[in-house]
Amino acid sequence: MSDPEILFGIYCPPHPQPLLSPEASEGYGKLRDAFETCRKRIEESEADLILVYSTTWPSIIGHQIQGHPEPEWVHVDDDFHYLGSMPYKFKMDTEFAEKFRESAESRGLQSRTVAYDGFPIDTGSIVALKLLNPDNRIPACIVSSNMYANRAETIVLGKSARDAIAAQGKKAVVVVVSSLSNRMFTEHIDPAEDRIHSAKDDEWNKKILEFFGDGRLEDLSQLSREIHGQIRVQKVVAYKPAWWMSATMGQNNNYRGEVLAYEALHGSGGAVVVLTPSKGSVGDKEFDEDDVEHYHGDRGVLNTGAL
Amino acid sequence: MAKGEIVLGCLAPHPPHVVYAENPEQNEAFAEGGWETLRWGYNRLARKLKSIDYDAMVIFTPHWQTYIGTHFLGLPKFKSKSVDPVFPNLFRFNYDISVDVELAEKMCEVAGESGIVTKMMRNPDFRIDYGTITSCHMLNPEWDKPLVTISSNRNAHYYSPEVMNEQASALGIACAKAIEESGKKVVLISSHSLSHRHFVTESPLPEDMSREHIYNHSQYVWDMKLVDLMRGGKMKEVIDIMPEFTEQTIAETEAGGLTWMMAAMGYPEYPAEIYGYQSVIGTGNLIAAWDPIEATREIVL
């Protein structure tokens, strides 16, 4: 199978402020402008698929892929409901969704498409698709983030996405919806005074953005466990977006990286980054973890080796 | 005005599977049954509730997760469809619920006065979570009582289960004070499983009970430890070991529901009524109730 054609990747935050209240702070406005730049890039590209991996769509039964052709609803965020409602109607590439599911299953993953009227599409996916593809000019696909999945499973999921893009000859833009540091303030704040929650979070975010700026996506993938321990609230088992993004985009450092914006979103780190495949590679990490091709499930250590 | 009171506390797990298996007209999916131990336990507790005089149900739900304080539903009616994001094949429930806004506002006010960050939720497009709907439907399928839904502030994620325990206790004490001042008779509902590790695969027929069992024995042993303490009326001890239990079993108690309810009820020293325990897709689910009136308190199981 030939390599898939991935035109570029976008890393963007899930919070609703850039969509619902960009005027509330200078930072939210800058993030909105960065989304707008990405929207234009997508429009000017020859993309025929926007593939979204959202950290705000958790799943349990394997990996869920949105399979409704035109999901439609009015969504309200659990925390930021007072900012307003988010009506949406998206156009999904259902044939790609089925191919993605098939590719995931062929690599040993549990996967299914979901196509139900009223299915609750998550805040992050809605923000991304409404700002990046407001007229539904390009069909999209959204995949969940399994709450129990760790590195091997996430890498294999990325490779499955790659398989499906290649098999259908798509020209894809890959979108990862995730914060950097994700610790928000636990009190209501004046948006005009928003800032990154702590100096440590800010320093780590800037280090990550240095890597992004240098196009070192696979190096970031290798640092995922460290990032999780340092600046991620322990809601899930691991920081997975860089694993999935790198696996989907080819597991290398060959990108032109552009950090379009980096701002606080109620204390968390929100960045809009574009990674465009290029020639030449930088990086100084030794990749000492296994490069997994097929997911074999849990090893069942509880049931083996017992006396 | 007479003082308000808590007339019953219910531990009411919300796997959508139990609503799916009941086949109510509001749910679009159809089941051949399943999880009878839980459903029949729920049916019996629902019958007990019919014999109790109360004005409203107050439910603390893990599936309205907030990180910026504790939020309360703040509009009198919500009508829409709730689709479970994890099990959409099982749960697509058309709901039409009433909210006791006066009581919700009182709780929000008293909690705020005690230093807890709070917010009223007044967006009419807000969708009610499936935890609230599942627990309330199973306890009151007629839906003839108004609700107050309280979001779960995720202190266990941001800090630790110990901090969760402290903050949920403070919220429970504040809610009890608000209930007292309201003059209303209230049923409290803590909506969650005990151990909460799921299988990540699902059988082709979800209600195939030949496939259902607890995720592992460790989870079961922990769950039974809690059941024994509840039977013995040792709820302070349950709350004291809650951080350890929560960490060891990835328990849904991490959201703070049981701690909130027990603090509101003054950590009962009388036995809980046990209505049933069963696993659902690997998680441990217990239905239990705390009846403050000795004359009506039962040994159910």
Side-chain angles (χ1 to χ4, degrees), chain B residues 84-106:
Chain B
D84 183 343
V86 174
F87 301 103
N89 50 325
L90 310 182
F91 190 87
R92 305 185 299 280
F93 192 98
N94 294 286
Y95 62 84
D96 184 355
I97 70 166
S98 301
V99 175
D100 187 334
V101 179
E102 185 184 49
L103 182 59
E105 286 176 339
K106 187 71 185 168

Side-chain angles (χ1 to χ4, degrees), chain A residues 57-62 64 73-85 88 110 112 114 116-121 146-148 153 182-189 197 233-235 266 298 302, chain B residues 28 63-69 71 80-90 92 117-127 153 155-159 196-202 215-216 250 281:
Chain A
W57 180 11
S59 60
I60 288 173
I61 307 298
Q64 297 193 145
W73 201 258
V74 179
H75 176 71
V76 177
D77 187 72
D78 278 0
D79 255 312
F80 299 107
H81 43 79
Y82 54 89
L83 293 180
S85 306
Y88 64 81
Q110 171 84 19
R112 67 180 176 194
V114 291
Y116 300 100
D117 289 342
F119 183 89
I121 294 184
N146 183 288
M147 61 182 289
Y148 295 116
E153 196 168 346
N182 63 342
R183 180 170 291 275
M184 295 194 294
F185 292 109
T186 53
E187 298 175 345
H188 300 284
I189 62 166
H197 188 276
V233 171
Q234 308 291 299
K235 299 182 205 173
H266 209 92
D298 296 335
L302 294 177
Chain B
E28 293 176 0
H63 291 287
W64 178 11
Q65 300 190 7
T66 53
Y67 290 89
I68 309 162
H71 300 215
S80 185
K81 178 161 74 171
S82 180
V83 180
D84 183 343
V86 174
F87 301 103
N89 50 325
L90 310 182
R92 305 185 299 280
V117 177
T118 57
K119 187 93 178 168
M120 292 299 293
M121 202 307 297
R122 301 197 197 272
N123 187 323
D125 296 323
F126 188 80
R127 185 142 54 166
N153 182 267
N155 291 296
H157 290 166
Y158 265 39
Y159 303 104
H196 202 235
R197 183 57 165 93
H198 302 80
F199 293 113
V200 294
T201 58
E202 188 178 54
Y215 188 84
N216 66 38
I250 326 173
I281 198 152

